[in-house]
Amino acid sequence: MGNVPAALKHCLSYEQLTRDYPWLAAWLQREKVRGAFIFPADSRNAITDLPKFVKIVEVGPRDGLQNEKEIVPTDVKIQFIDLLSKTGLPAIEATSFVSSKWVPQMADHTDVLQGIHRAPQVKYPVLTPNLRGFRTAIAAGATEVAVFGSASETFSRKNINCSIEESMQRFEEVVRAAKELQIPVRGYVSCVLGCPYEGDIEPSKVTKVVKTLYGMGCYEISLGDTIGVGTPGSMARLLDSVKKEVPMSTLAVHCHDTYGQALANILVALQMGVSVVDSSVAGLGGCPYAKGASGNVSTEDVLYMLHGLGVETGVDLSKVMEAGDFICKALNRKTNSKVAQAKCRL
Amino acid sequence: VVPLSLSRLRPASQAVAVSSVNPLPKQVKIVEVGPRDGLQNEKLTVPTEVKLQFIDMLSETGLPVIEATSFVSPKWIPQMADQAEVTQGIRKRPGVVYPVLAPNLKGFQAAVKAGADEVAIFSTVSELFAMKNANCSVEESLQRAEEVTRAAKAAGVRVRGYVSCVLGCPYEGHVSPDKVAQMAKHIYAMGCYEISLGDTIGVGTPGSMRAMLDAVSKEVPVDRLAVHCHDTYGQALANILVALQMGVSVVDSSVAGLGGCPYAPGASGNVATEDLVYMLHGLGIHTGVDLQKVMDAGAFICRFLNRRTSSKVAQASCRL
């Protein structure tokens, strides 16, 4: 199998472990009986007792493109975002004010932000990893920003070159500056269901970071299953922990589909009261930690599920598919969306 | 004392959290349909010895049920022409069941002659689908099924029943949950020990799954139901999750997600066994299946078919 992330190892080796340690199976069985907890609901409606409206945050132009190998020209990015602006999507993450040394794809951040036709009622948040990025974003006309934290120390160091504590200090500066200008700030937490370096992540670690970001002033916190290892089980455990510290209405889920679990994880999150979901048109953006594997969940597939559940989104699926079609042609790649794949030859 | 390497192993207890009415089943039986439903929808005809090796590998994974082949006329399904050789050639592992499809009495008789000890029959609520798929009306297909179940009873052979198009039909569109419930009730009464409800074109969502199971479970006990979800619109695992939340504990799947969707060329079909097992184990549900061994069988058949796996778990794991 080669170098398997620690987070996957425990899943693969369950059978092996219970074979090697016979006492373990009995222990797990006892724990299961003692600990199994049941949703406090009294009717089957709770299964599909979901928010009436779910806000979809489209991250294709930023998170999606950031992880695509092909550098997309500025005018194509602008055309892409303009197409998305016509779909009814309420929030479209436009770009990232990060150093172009680190993320060359986002080097044209100012031109993109200034070039797009902003639809009224649509928000265009941009990433601002630090005060400098924030100031550049404001100068370019940003009206909403986002900061990125991690629940894993190792991931924080490897990804943004500092500890969680240090990153929170940077974000505090951004949030303070944003408050003065009345700019809303969205917080992201990555590795909430597993880390490519540390493996399993304790929900309490995630809760701590979420609480800090919320306390700082982030109006919404997006919980990212960065390597897609989460399952409905770990998602439910996580939300159970986080909801004790921040209102469910402030939470969003950002699920990766690397192990095919995204829609099931999103469904469970909705059942537990989450009503904001991040997704990427055409499932743009692979997973940098598992070469060849998929990354972001596709907006089209999320919409298909939500609409099938009678949940309102305000989004036109066929227009999203058009935008997906456009960017896949530009990237010369096949869509990752199953809905798009199913419909393309009919 | 828990060894250090195990300290990260999460107790299964905290995983069984997401049911609204009952806890999720502690155990789920996976019915592996790759060798039949999977291969049947692959373009490349697979030689008998490769099929045998494939099924033998699956027999080592812990999968409790492996659908081996189909006793349908080779005129219709050339892939299954070697039905007798496959049935006779597999090394049956004790404790594992190897059902085969028997669309009519002739197929049933040939199956029993070849040594089959469990068969499956197919039904549908859609007239157009029956006509296009089995070249007969729903009524006629039920008559054929009745003949098979009667003969099976006499021979002491168990029969599993399938209902297709339960969440939508490629020709008729929307399918009424009540119609599905009546069909399930009918074939259950005929003598099928288990009814597998198939979302044949994968158009279902957790909403339509819930409505359908609500109707069907009023007519057939939920522990006799199975779900057979296609992933054509990426909804399979979410649909399966809802089915589990409603008490279903038998799930059909196909290793490597073998078998495209004949109604949407280029689209995917069966849900991948690997992805299903990953979810179930993550939920603390026992399956008895070794995920690594399933991935090995998937890698084997994909290499032969010269195609990429449709399983996301396999894709994520393969380049590491």
Side-chain angles (χ1 to χ4, degrees):
Chain A
M1 266 273 287
N3 190 21
V4 178
L8 181 56
K9 275 192 181 126
H10 89 262
C11 175
L12 289 179
S13 61
Y14 176 84
E15 300 306 312
Q16 183 66 50
L17 285 167
T18 52
R19 269 199 299 273
D20 289 347
Y21 304 98
W23 57 266
L24 185 58
W27 177 69
L28 287 173
Q29 194 54 43
R30 272 200 311 278
E31 288 300 311
K32 199 183 284 197
V33 170
R34 205 158 54 211
F37 80 94
I38 300 156
F39 243 0
D42 52 16
S43 86
R44 291 195 139 183
N45 290 325
I47 290 173
T48 42
D49 184 17
L50 307 171
K52 287 193 172 41
F53 179 85
V54 163
K55 176 175 94 172
I56 304 220
V57 176
E58 172 60 46
V59 301
R62 202 276 312 162
D63 192 7
L65 291 186
Q66 186 170 302
N67 286 301
E68 292 288 328
K69 281 174 294 222
E70 184 104 19
I71 301 282
V72 177
T74 309
D75 49 299
V76 175
K77 282 188 182 115
I78 290 172
Q79 212 179 330
F80 176 43
I81 296 171
D82 286 348
L83 279 171
L84 291 170
S85 294
K86 298 197 176 95
T87 61
L89 283 162
I92 301 166
E93 207 175 57
T95 187
S96 175
F97 284 80
V98 69
S99 161
S100 50
K101 240 193 352 225
W102 295 113
V103 189
Q105 181 76 274
M106 300 286 130
D108 56 2
H109 40 59
T110 301
D111 294 331
V112 168
L113 194 55
Q114 290 177 335
I116 54 176
H117 291 111
R118 298 199 206 193
Q121 318 299 332
V122 180
K123 304 266 186 289
Y124 298 89
V126 298
L127 246 66
T128 52
N130 48 40
L131 196 56
R132 187 169 123 186
F134 173 78
R135 292 205 183 105
T136 315
I138 295 302
T143 49
E144 182 171 319
V145 298
V147 294
F148 244 91
S150 170
S152 152
E153 269 303 340
T154 315
F155 190 84
S156 185
R157 284 181 198 278
K158 294 237 182 195
N159 209 44
I160 53 176
N161 218 23
C162 64
S163 70
I164 296 179
E165 177 81 43
E166 287 165 327
S167 74
M168 291 296 130
Q169 282 164 11
R170 286 182 199 174
F171 302 150
E172 185 112 38
E173 293 175 350
V174 173
V175 174
R176 218 177 303 133
K179 248 184 220 163
E180 276 171 30
L181 298 170
Q182 290 174 328
I183 300 276
V185 184
R186 189 186 209 228
Y188 279 93
V189 185
S190 49
C191 297
V192 301
L193 297 178
C195 169
Y197 311 104
E198 295 188 10
D200 267 351
I201 296 287
E202 283 289 335
S204 57
K205 278 187 173 169
V206 180
T207 302
K208 188 165 169 221
V209 177
V210 173
K211 198 173 166 188
T212 307
L213 289 170
Y214 182 64
M216 252 188 234
C218 291
Y219 78 92
E220 193 169 270
I221 319 284
S222 173
L223 305 168
D225 180 13
T226 307
I227 47 170
V229 289
T231 62
S234 53
M235 173 64 84
R237 268 200 307 281
L238 170 68
L239 290 175
D240 224 47
S241 166
V242 178
K243 76 182 188 199
K244 293 187 176 102
E245 302 293 341
V246 305
M248 207 55 111
S249 57
T250 57
L251 297 175
V253 288
H254 183 114
C255 297
H256 277 201
D257 204 37
T258 320
Y259 291 84
Q261 308 295 305
L263 285 187
N265 293 346
I266 289 167
L267 179 62
V268 152
L270 297 176
Q271 289 176 336
M272 291 182 75
V274 170
S275 61
V276 184
V277 177
D278 298 358
S279 61
S280 176
V281 62
L284 286 186
C287 178
Y289 305 95
K291 307 261 169 289
S294 63
N296 284 298
V297 69
S298 309
T299 304
E300 298 93 317
D301 300 359
V302 172
L303 286 172
Y304 189 90
M305 180 173 81
L306 294 178
H307 292 176
L309 279 162
V311 173
E312 298 272 347
T313 63
V315 183
D316 183 331
L317 173 55
S318 57
K319 292 202 169 124
V320 173
M321 290 207 287
E322 279 168 27
D325 196 46
F326 168 82
I327 196 64
C328 286
K329 276 201 190 67
L331 287 167
N332 194 26
R333 60 158 279 181
K334 220 184 153 208
T335 180
N336 271 339
S337 155
K338 289 223 162 166
V339 169
Q341 283 168 29
K343 296 202 177 210
C344 71
R345 307 267 199 107
L346 292 173
Chain B
V1 171
V2 178
L4 195 62
S5 60
L6 297 179
S7 60
R8 289 205 203 114
L9 183 68
R10 189 144 301 291
S13 63
Q14 295 163 307
V16 185
V18 299
S19 165
S20 62
V21 180
N22 303 302
L24 294 176
K26 288 193 175 47
Q27 236 167 254
V28 161
K29 176 175 92 174
I30 298 190
V31 175
E32 171 59 46
V33 301
R36 201 278 309 166
D37 192 7
L39 291 186
Q40 185 170 302
N41 286 301
E42 293 288 328
K43 282 175 291 226
L44 202 66
T45 299
V46 178
T48 310
E49 8 13 302
V50 177
K51 282 190 184 120
L52 290 177
Q53 208 180 331
F54 176 44
I55 296 171
D56 288 347
M57 283 182 85
L58 291 169
S59 294
E60 297 301 310
T61 60
L63 283 160
V65 185
I66 301 166
E67 207 176 56
T69 187
S70 175
F71 281 79
V72 68
S73 163
K75 238 188 355 215
W76 296 111
I77 315 261
Q79 181 76 275
M80 301 284 132
D82 56 1
Q83 56 210 210
E85 291 99 314
V86 168
T87 307
Q88 287 165 339
I90 50 179
R91 255 175 277 148
K92 293 200 190 185
R93 199 190 160 90
V96 180
V97 182
Y98 299 88
V100 299
L101 246 65
N104 49 41
L105 193 58
K106 183 167 140 190
F108 172 76
Q109 284 157 351
V112 170
K113 189 159 168 226
D117 49 25
E118 182 168 317
V119 298
I121 56 116
F122 250 90
S123 71
T124 178
V125 297
S126 156
E127 281 294 348
L128 274 171
F129 189 83
M131 195 55 70
K132 298 245 180 187
N133 207 46
N135 211 27
C136 64
S137 68
V138 168
E139 180 75 45
E140 285 166 321
S141 76
L142 282 176
Q143 278 164 14
R144 292 179 195 174
E146 187 116 33
E147 291 174 351
V148 172
T149 47
R150 219 179 301 133
K153 225 180 252 176
V157 171
R158 288 212 311 178
V159 183
R160 186 184 210 232
Y162 280 96
V163 185
S164 46
C165 297
V166 301
L167 298 179
C169 168
Y171 311 105
E172 295 186 4
H174 174 74
V175 169
S176 134
D178 287 325
K179 265 191 170 175
V180 177
Q182 290 311 310
M183 180 57 69
K185 182 179 174 185
H186 189 114
I187 61 176
Y188 181 60
M190 250 192 235
C192 293
Y193 77 93
E194 192 170 270
I195 314 293
S196 173
L197 305 162
D199 179 14
T200 308
I201 47 169
V203 288
T205 62
S208 54
M209 172 63 85
R210 182 252 147 125
M212 186 273 296
L213 285 176
D214 235 5
V216 176
S217 58
K218 291 188 173 95
E219 308 290 349
V220 179
V222 76
D223 62 351
R224 297 287 155 176
L225 298 175
V227 290
H228 183 115
C229 298
H230 277 201
D231 205 38
T232 320
Y233 291 82
Q235 310 294 306
L237 286 187
N239 294 345
I240 289 166
L241 180 61
V242 159
L244 297 175
Q245 291 176 335
M246 293 186 74
V248 171
S249 61
V250 183
V251 182
D252 299 358
S253 61
S254 177
V255 62
L258 285 187
C261 179
Y263 306 98
S268 64
N270 285 299
V271 69
T273 303
E274 298 92 317
D275 301 359
L276 170 66
V277 169
Y278 187 90
M279 181 174 82
L280 294 176
H281 289 182
L283 280 162
I285 293 174
H286 179 76
T287 64
V289 177
D290 182 330
L291 175 54
Q292 180 59 68
K293 291 198 172 135
V294 174
M295 290 207 283
D296 291 343
F300 168 80
I301 196 66
C302 285
R303 253 198 312 274
F304 182 83
L305 289 168
N306 195 26
R307 62 158 275 181
R308 215 181 154 209
T309 180
S310 285
S311 154
K312 290 222 162 166
V313 169
Q315 284 168 26
S317 313
C318 70
R319 309 264 199 109
L320 295 172

